[in-house]
Amino acid sequence: MSKDLILAVDVGGTTCKLGIFNQSLEMIDKWSIDTDISDSTGKLILRQIYEAFVQKFETQDLNMKDVIGMGIGIPGPVDFETGTIHGAVNLNWPNKVNVINIMKTFVDFPVIVDNDANVAALGEKFNGAGKDADDVVAITLGTGLGGGIISNGKIVHGHNGSGAELGHFRVDHDQRFKCNCGKSGCIETVASATGVINLVNFYYPKLTFKSSILELIKNKTVTAKAVFDAAKAGDQFCIFITERVANYIAYLASIISVTTNPKYIILGGGMSDAGDILIENIKTEYHHLTFTPAQENTEIVRAELGNDAGMVGAAGLIKTYIIDKE
């Protein structure tokens, strides 16, 4: 039997999602294990991941000799060429961790590592909203704002791995809010779930709108979901906030369109669940802003894979950089 199995790992701060795929990226099995962050060297959790695959192979009567390679997505800045993570706060990895070197002490097949946002974008390109397109951008709208760029079928990394750090476009030129990166004005500070709250607290004292979420604002318990739900119900203040957020995201999408000209701009993460109240506003402003040839036949769509995007993309690393090169 020829080699036909891909191992996929999406490492998160709480759980590691594990999957087994064939080389057509059809999922054979998936499960998860808790992320053990007690060890700051990375060796413990990587060994636990390997052991979880060994145990699964035994129960499924599979053979490690049939594995083509393992793809891994990590929440941190990655040197793609070496597989080195330059610190991962959510994993308690304060220093550099060479994931490939550690995992190669357990396996003898190829291991490829990339940033989790890049990997999720690749997943959507293969099996999700960007299927069959070689030029795809994914924007993840969660607590922060991240994403990945696929150009000509390959992930954009840049010369030192900082390519496609979409959350750090400066769009708020007044620099009202400090970003986790240490600078101010990043789009993450005004167009993530955290950014929605920043804008609510900034604008509410300055505007004459009354709002159904006033008590949430006063009690400092307002959430992005509460804002979008109120906007859907016709709350004028929340509609104003939603439009501000949509304009920032549309501006980002416009810049991306004249830079890489993707076929699909895919919106994922928890905030994309706001639905049309956010996404249709993004589309409208995007069409106003963007150079006409650069937006022609470009579609802004919602992500389709949900929590499986990282796993599918991790398998996609092996397909892109090993199988398709043969």
Side-chain angles (χ1 to χ4, degrees):
M1 178 181 175
S2 62
K3 291 187 176 184
D4 189 42
L5 299 178
I6 299 172
L7 307 187
V9 184
D10 179 15
V11 179
T14 304
T15 63
C16 297
K17 300 175 185 68
L18 311 180
I20 303 172
F21 293 76
N22 65 23
Q23 60 180 302
S24 298
L25 297 192
E26 296 168 333
M27 188 184 292
I28 297 169
D29 201 352
K30 69 173 182 177
W31 71 105
S32 65
I33 63 172
D34 292 339
T35 303
D36 189 334
I37 62 171
S38 62
D39 168 39
S40 63
T41 70
K43 293 178 181 178
L44 178 60
I45 188 57
L46 294 173
R47 176 170 60 79
Q48 291 172 341
I49 289 167
Y50 166 71
E51 290 173 349
F53 278 115
V54 170
Q55 185 177 13
K56 180 64 70 170
F57 268 52
E58 289 174 353
T59 60
Q60 297 283 7
D61 196 25
L62 298 172
N63 193 327
M64 282 286 182
K65 292 182 179 178
D66 296 325
V67 174
I68 302 167
M70 176 189 290
I72 305 176
I74 298 282
V78 178
D79 183 329
F80 182 72
E81 295 300 323
T82 66
T84 299
I85 316 302
H86 294 277
V89 175
N90 291 343
L91 303 181
N92 186 33
W93 295 359
N95 303 310
K96 292 182 180 180
V97 174
N98 191 304
V99 172
I100 290 178
N101 285 353
I102 295 172
M103 192 58 77
K104 291 292 280 183
T105 64
F106 306 119
V107 304
D108 58 5
F109 44 73
V111 177
I112 300 179
V113 181
D114 210 330
N115 171 265
D116 59 347
N118 288 342
V119 167
L122 194 63
E124 290 288 343
K125 173 242 184 300
F126 274 117
N127 286 2
K131 193 180 293 183
D132 301 325
D134 280 340
D135 295 277
V136 171
V137 173
I139 303 173
T140 304
L141 305 168
T143 303
L145 188 151
I149 297 174
I150 314 295
S151 183
N152 294 323
K154 300 293 176 64
I155 296 170
V156 172
H157 294 107
H159 77 92
N160 68 3
S162 297
E165 286 287 352
L166 303 183
H168 302 290
F169 273 93
R170 177 174 286 176
V171 300
D172 178 21
H173 298 295
D174 293 328
Q175 301 178 52
R176 292 168 292 178
F177 313 109
K178 187 127 181 183
C179 182
N180 287 333
C181 74
K183 298 187 183 297
S184 298
C186 298
I187 190 170
E188 183 168 297
T189 68
V190 289
S192 62
T194 303
V196 170
I197 297 168
N198 284 341
L199 293 178
V200 165
N201 291 331
F202 178 81
Y203 280 112
Y204 196 76
K206 299 174 175 23
L207 300 176
T208 58
F209 293 118
K210 293 183 179 179
S211 177
S212 60
I213 65 167
L214 177 58
E215 288 304 312
L216 296 178
I217 297 171
K218 286 181 177 178
N219 295 333
K220 297 184 178 179
T221 56
V222 66
T223 64
K225 183 179 186 302
V227 172
F228 295 134
D229 287 346
K232 292 174 192 176
D235 184 297
Q236 289 302 303
F237 174 69
C238 292
I239 289 171
F240 169 79
I241 295 295
T242 301
E243 289 176 345
R244 295 300 304 148
V245 171
N247 288 355
Y248 288 125
I249 297 169
Y251 178 63
L252 172 63
S254 176
I255 293 170
I256 289 168
S257 286
V258 295
T259 307
T260 69
N261 191 213
K263 168 62 179 168
Y264 295 104
I265 298 173
I266 302 168
L267 304 178
M271 268 177 50
S272 67
D273 293 338
D276 288 349
I277 191 72
L278 178 64
I279 292 173
E280 291 305 315
N281 272 301
I282 292 170
K283 289 180 180 179
T284 298
E285 185 65 13
Y286 170 79
H287 291 307
H288 288 157
L289 286 172
T290 308
F291 177 55
T292 301
Q295 64 172 277
E296 186 174 352
N297 296 322
T298 292
E299 298 179 46
I300 297 177
V301 296
R302 286 182 66 181
E304 295 179 357
L305 294 180
N307 289 332
D308 286 348
M311 232 184 348
V312 175
L317 290 173
I318 302 303
K319 179 168 176 58
T320 300
Y321 296 101
I322 295 179
I323 295 172
D324 290 350
K325 279 192 170 184
E326 293 179 349

